[in-house]
Amino acid sequence: MSLSSALSIAQSALMNTARQTSVVSRNVADASNPDYTRRIAVVTSTAPGARSVDIQRVTNDLLFRQNLSALSAYSGQNALYSGMDQLDVSVNGVDNASSPSTAIANLQQALQLYATSPSNQNLGSSVIDAARQVVRSLNEGSQAVQDFRTQTDSQIDTAVKDLNSLLSQFQDANQAVMSGTRSGTDVSDALDQRDALLKKISEYVPVSTFTRGDNDMVITTGDGTTLFETIPRTVSFTPSAGYAAGATGNTVYIDNVPVSAGAGGNTSASGKLAGLLQLRDGVASTMQSQLDETARGLITAFAETATSMPNAAGLFTWSGAPAVPAAGTLVNGLASTISINTAMDPSTGGNPTLLRDGGANGAAYVSNTSGGASYSSLLVAYGDRLDQPMTFDPAAGISATSSVSDYAANSIGWLQGMRQQASTAANAKEALAQRSSEALSNATGVNVDQEMSLLLDLEHTYQASARMMKTVDDMMTALLNAVG
């Protein structure tokens, strides 16, 4: 081997070591960045020496796809569970203190006490106060549900805008990858950025990807709808200013294809958008229906009856009074309009004794025809009706045959059951997302100890190359001296 060849090999080795050292240093510097993928300098031997020819990212497509899927599943589940927590407190209060079920239980107690001493007008007023609390819980609960739907609608709008922004950023990153690939330059940073954006996009909708020539990536949703191909596809949504009971929310469209809402406590929703749609049009709407059915049950239970006369709204009335709502048929928004019959409400000049005697709808409905102050039959009958089965609309999601008091309690049970399922599923899906992320990090992330060990090896290689150059330099000096 000639001295010039030896010198060339030593120089090449030094340059190669410097390049490898730079890569290792970059790995160590970005070790804490969750979106950074470890780089390796691929070295090939070429005469008269060795040189680094490429910098590659350590990737694992299978683990990355699993991580995207887990992120989507957890995001949808977490959106559902968090929303249900908020909805529960808004409607029922802490420990169900302001729930219709609690208010109805208090009404039953006041009614029973009044029945034991029907001549006590203070007890009659207490029943009206308890009934007023029932009305308040239904009115405010209904308002809380619709406010929640409006807030969720706003969150959907924000999520759609965020998703469109991410897709626009993805287009820039994808173009950088393609341009770098065509020119043969290092595209590691652009690939990292593109993968990081994919993770964020997967939190909104489930994604599936495939790569074409020049590293051009195409994104589709879980159901095959194109989300990105060369350019972002439009994600559209028209928010609503407010909601009323029974109103259906607007649909989210991806490339003119509607996004489906999730279903169930362990939701089928994959991605935040599907979870929010389930909250707005599934959970919240069902809860509103249950409030409306509870209100209808109360109006029916306290309706005044008379021979050869239609039943008429009694203690509880509504916009369709004096008629009583049809049995077993949901009336949208009834919980928001139910009120106390002014004929019995002392705060509006009414007489509470009409609850004991009957007659709020005229003389034909008077039950206490003798006018006895100790008459309690009607009060007892009202109390019994609260515990007697009646028919409810099955569209409200719980038992179609139940007493009013049980129905209100079952409504709480329905939500708590859904919350429990959602909580368990959220914990499981969060764990899966974390495990998949850890597995991906272990396979493609940076191990600082490993990098430092490699850095030490490179230091030894550098020292050996430097000694080789020193030896060649000494030999050439000696040769020149001998010639001279």
Side-chain angles (χ1 to χ4, degrees), residues 199-212:
K199 291 179 183 178
K200 293 179 180 178
I201 291 170
S202 71
E203 294 179 6
Y204 293 91
V205 290
V207 297
S208 179
T209 66
F210 65 91
T211 305
R212 304 184 296 195

Side-chain angles (χ1 to χ4, degrees), residues 101-117:
S101 179
T102 300
I104 290 172
N106 292 336
L107 173 61
Q108 285 182 292
Q109 293 178 359
L111 195 61
Q112 290 169 358
L113 190 59
Y114 187 26
T116 62
S117 183

Side-chain angles (χ1 to χ4, degrees), residues 48 59 69 139 187 196 265 287 392 407 437 463 468 476:
T59 61
S69 177
N139 292 164
V187 294
M287 199 164 183
F392 292 94
Y407 191 87
S437 179
Q463 291 173 348
M468 184 176 179
M476 292 188 70

Side-chain angles (χ1 to χ4, degrees), residues 78-220:
N78 187 57
L80 177 67
Y81 176 58
S82 300
M84 290 179 72
D85 259 356
Q86 179 187 344
L87 183 61
D88 182 32
V89 174
S90 297
V91 176
N92 295 321
V94 179
D95 296 328
N96 302 317
S98 58
S99 68
S101 179
T102 300
I104 290 172
N106 292 336
L107 173 61
Q108 285 182 292
Q109 293 178 359
L111 195 61
Q112 290 169 358
L113 190 59
Y114 187 26
T116 62
S117 183
S119 61
N120 189 332
Q121 295 306 302
N122 289 331
L123 295 179
S125 297
S126 295
V127 173
I128 302 301
D129 289 339
R132 188 177 293 110
Q133 183 56 47
V134 172
V135 167
R136 184 179 297 113
S137 69
L138 290 168
N139 292 164
E140 293 178 354
S142 181
Q143 184 61 50
V145 168
Q146 300 312 317
D147 287 345
F148 175 82
R149 294 188 71 201
T150 302
Q151 292 169 11
T152 304
D153 195 82
S154 177
Q155 291 175 9
I156 294 171
D157 183 45
T158 299
V160 167
K161 291 176 181 176
D162 290 344
L163 180 55
N164 280 317
S165 175
L166 288 170
L167 290 172
S168 177
Q169 295 173 50
F170 185 88
Q171 180 181 16
D172 295 337
N174 189 61
Q175 186 60 47
V177 170
M178 292 171 60
S179 298
T181 301
R182 290 168 184 159
S183 63
T185 58
D186 180 22
V187 294
S188 298
D189 288 343
L191 287 169
D192 277 353
Q193 182 185 9
R194 193 171 72 174
D195 284 354
L197 289 168
L198 268 178
K199 291 179 183 178
K200 293 179 180 178
I201 291 170
S202 71
E203 294 179 6
Y204 293 91
V205 290
V207 297
S208 179
T209 66
F210 65 91
T211 305
R212 304 184 296 195
D214 293 333
N215 265 330
D216 180 24
M217 182 172 282
V218 176
I219 310 176
T220 61

Side-chain angles (χ1 to χ4, degrees), residues 27 30 33 46 57 73 82 84 133 136 152 165 180 189 212 288 291 294 332 380 414 418:
N27 286 342
D30 283 303
N33 182 355
T46 58
R57 297 165 71 242
S82 300
M84 290 179 72
Q133 183 56 47
R136 184 179 297 113
T152 304
S165 175
D189 288 343
R212 304 184 296 195
Q288 177 66 57
L291 291 173
T294 299
N332 287 321
V380 172
W414 172 84
M418 284 276 289

